[in-house]
Amino acid sequence: VQLQASGGGVVQAGDSLRLSCAASGLNLRRYAVAWFRQAPGQERQFVAAISRTGGYTYYANSVKGRFTISRDNAENTLYLQMNNLKPEDTADYYCAADASIITSSLRTWTQYDHWGQGTQVTVSS
């Protein structure tokens, strides 16, 4: 099982980035999937998730309206489209997946079994 995150970079405030998370060894359609981020010295923070059943999407208040999480079942890839980036979005971004997580736990990073390696996003002002 492997999750391979990519797409990070250095951008200016107001720019956009799209992160990708390619999965192998698991079918993302059967998993809840999520993006988390972690800035230096801070705890890992929930960004967005898609539920295992129903495909409902959930967002942190800080990114709602700017970020969009999506899943391409044919490509077995998770995406995070990030628009209107702000300096406070600077962090390492991690994708995660879990086959049995319940909806009430989607925002809790410790509940996920599978993790990508992280991709760095830096937003300058």
Side-chain angles (χ1 to χ4, degrees), residues 32-39 42-51 56-64 66-69 78 80 88-89 91-97 101-112 115:
V33 290
W35 289 96
F36 288 81
R37 66 188 181 186
Q38 189 167 18
Q42 297 187 20
E43 288 194 6
R44 193 162 295 192
Q45 179 185 51
F46 171 76
V47 175
I50 302 176
S51 63
Y56 299 104
T57 56
Y58 301 85
Y59 295 93
N61 288 336
S62 59
V63 307
K64 200 173 295 183
R66 300 188 297 122
F67 291 11
T68 302
I69 187 172
L78 177 67
L80 184 68
E88 52 263 42
D89 295 319
D92 290 328
Y93 283 71
Y94 298 87
C95 54
I101 194 170
I102 59 176
T103 300
S104 60
S105 296
L106 285 172
R107 298 170 185 263
T108 307
W109 71 269
T110 56
Q111 297 297 308
Y112 288 82
W115 288 87

Side-chain angles (χ1 to χ4, degrees), residues 10 14 26 33 62 69-71 73-74 88 94 96 116 120:
V10 180
L26 75 165
V33 290
S62 59
I69 187 172
S70 62
R71 177 173 53 197
N73 292 332
E88 52 263 42
Y94 298 87
Q120 189 173 53

